[in-house]
Amino acid sequence: LTIDQCAIYSNGKANILADYATVDLYNSTLHSANHAIWLRNSSSLNSTKNKFSHHSGTQLIAHQQSVIVDKGSYITHGKGNGIYASNQADVTLSGTRLEEHVLPQIWIQNAHMQARNIRICNGRESGVMLRDHATADICDAEFMHHKLAHVQVTLHSHAHIMTSQLTYSEGNALQVKEQSTANVVESKVAYSQLAQCHISEKSVFNSNDSFFTNGEQVGIYAERASVAQLMRSTVSNHASSALSAVESSLRLDDCDVFENVGNAVLLLNSSDVVAEDCRFYQNDMPHFAGKTNAFITVRRSTLAKGKSLYALDESNVLLEQCHIHDSEGIQLEVQQRTKMYIHQCTIAAGQSNGIKA
């Protein structure tokens, strides 16, 4: 089926229903039905520069190993999802724009998505929902203005986000939960009203060469046996701590963490951090704070211009080959049966005590 420069609208169910079929759609407008296109049973849609709008349900649906390939279409003002894919369907987007959907603008469930040069904004829930072993590779994308999160990665799913911008979320920029994983590479995450990245329930978050800045709460928050790993990344200018962990682990390698209102790293309840070759400075609270069996390991790093470290309640601290200087208060302080080992470090030019135990 080939359709070019047509208007298809106001049909009782779907404007196009494809069953074991291939649809080639060009330069057309589909609107005002329950669904724009419903693909099932290994059907495929090749869509180029179309407009899908004002459907009462999800606009594009791909079930049962069906395929959507879209280039440059505009999908807007739907009362369901913009795109829904399930049961090993496959979605490929290039230059696609999605706006103004009531449900997550793209929902991928037990399916796969590849997206490049897309713009997803102004959704009432989230930009992309990945669920139930879903996978997504997202490159050169822009996410703005969602109520819950720009990207949700749930229930054993995986997201790889590269050279993208996730800004101005009314919730989180990124949620990773229920044993899921997410990689953020060469991207910017900024201006979220809640934690910019929230990792929970045995999930893993990796960041390489990325920026997390100007969040209204925590930058990266890991809880419930999760792991957050950052390499060559920057976390700055948050209204709370840059990174926080509760019963979780943090790893930082060659990172900059500065000018946060809270701590650079806050650990609670048997959490741990390993930071190597990093720079921490001008955070309003101690760069490192640990409580209740926290484990803090810092190697070959600089801690400057702010109280450097405060740990208590049976925590453990290891500092090796670090330069600690110009603290506004006590530079290093431990209390309540906390152990600290300092090896080949320089501790100088503090305004109060260098070390207090």
Side-chain angles (χ1 to χ4, degrees):
L1 174 62
T2 300
I3 302 170
D4 188 10
Q5 302 181 55
C6 292
I8 306 173
Y9 59 92
S10 298
N11 293 288
K13 294 183 179 180
N15 278 319
I16 299 174
L17 174 63
D19 195 356
Y20 295 105
T22 297
V23 179
D24 296 318
L25 183 67
Y26 306 98
N27 306 300
S28 296
T29 301
L30 284 72
H31 64 88
S32 306
N34 286 346
H35 311 289
I37 300 175
W38 190 323
L39 307 174
R40 60 192 187 192
N41 294 320
S42 302
S43 294
S44 62
L45 168 66
N46 298 306
S47 167
T48 302
K49 295 183 179 179
N50 299 295
K51 181 178 180 181
F52 308 97
S53 68
H54 296 93
H55 292 89
S56 60
T58 292
Q59 308 218 55
L60 302 180
I61 301 173
H63 283 318
Q64 299 148 329
Q65 298 181 322
S66 294
V67 175
I68 295 173
V69 178
D70 182 80
K71 297 178 181 178
S73 293
Y74 182 35
I75 307 171
T76 184
H77 286 92
K79 293 185 178 179
N81 309 112
I83 298 171
Y84 178 86
S86 68
N87 302 109
Q88 299 181 341
D90 191 270
V91 176
T92 300
L93 307 176
S94 177
T96 307
R97 189 157 52 110
L98 293 98
E99 296 182 358
E100 304 286 353
H101 289 90
V102 174
L103 298 180
Q105 307 218 54
I106 299 176
W107 186 302
I108 308 295
Q109 183 162 344
N110 189 24
H112 176 67
M113 178 179 73
Q114 289 183 301
R116 178 181 291 273
N117 190 30
I118 62 170
R119 188 174 191 267
I120 304 178
C121 62
N122 300 320
R124 295 192 191 177
E125 289 194 8
S126 59
V128 173
M129 163 66 84
L130 304 177
R131 186 164 182 81
D132 188 15
H133 298 89
T135 59
D137 293 296
I138 300 169
C139 182
D140 298 328
E142 182 180 6
F143 293 87
M144 296 178 64
H145 302 299
H146 290 96
K147 300 286 186 181
L148 298 182
H150 294 316
V151 180
Q152 296 175 289
V153 190
T154 69
L155 203 61
H156 305 278
S157 296
H158 173 74
H160 183 80
I161 302 170
M162 186 171 181
T163 55
S164 297
Q165 295 193 44
L166 295 80
T167 59
Y168 299 104
S169 173
E170 294 182 28
N172 310 114
L174 179 65
Q175 293 177 1
V176 189
K177 60 184 181 180
E178 298 166 324
Q179 300 182 51
S180 297
T181 59
N183 301 329
V184 174
V185 180
E186 297 180 14
S187 296
K188 178 182 178 181
V189 179
Y191 305 110
S192 303
Q193 293 186 16
L194 300 180
Q196 306 229 54
C197 299
H198 187 173
I199 305 99
S200 67
E201 299 161 296
K202 299 181 180 179
S203 295
V204 177
F205 169 77
N206 296 293
S207 167
N208 293 313
D209 304 293
S210 294
F211 294 86
F212 305 86
T213 187
N214 294 106
E216 295 190 19
Q217 292 193 26
V218 178
I220 296 168
Y221 179 67
E223 64 169 349
R224 301 175 69 178
S226 295
V227 177
Q229 303 176 123
L230 285 76
M231 180 176 291
R232 299 182 303 277
S233 295
T234 297
V235 189
S236 68
N237 300 103
H238 291 88
S240 185
S241 296
L243 301 100
S244 296
V246 180
E247 298 177 345
S248 295
S249 298
L250 304 174
R251 300 289 182 268
L252 292 85
D253 187 355
D254 193 15
C255 293
D256 292 276
V257 185
F258 60 91
E259 295 181 1
N260 299 282
V261 173
N263 308 104
V265 176
L266 173 63
L267 304 176
L268 299 172
N269 301 344
S270 302
S271 294
D272 63 271
V273 62
V274 176
E276 298 182 335
D277 303 299
C278 294
R279 294 150 298 278
F280 303 91
Y281 53 95
Q282 292 181 326
N283 296 292
D284 290 355
M285 299 293 285
H287 301 314
F288 289 87
K291 182 180 179 181
T292 313
N293 297 304
F295 286 79
I296 300 171
T297 301
V298 187
R299 298 187 177 98
R300 301 180 302 279
S301 297
T302 298
L303 292 71
K305 297 184 179 179
K307 186 173 181 179
S308 293
L309 184 146
Y310 180 66
L312 71 159
D313 194 9
E314 299 184 343
S315 295
N316 289 269
V317 178
L318 170 62
L319 301 174
E320 290 187 317
Q321 298 177 344
C322 292
H323 184 35
I324 301 162
H325 64 92
D326 292 298
S327 293
E328 296 173 0
I330 300 169
Q331 306 224 57
L332 303 173
E333 182 174 358
V334 294
Q335 295 184 5
Q336 299 175 1
R337 300 176 301 282
T338 291
K339 298 177 181 178
M340 180 164 59
Y341 178 71
I342 306 170
H343 179 63
Q344 293 183 343
C345 294
T346 300
I347 304 167
Q351 296 182 12
S352 182
N353 300 309
I355 301 171
K356 180 180 177 181

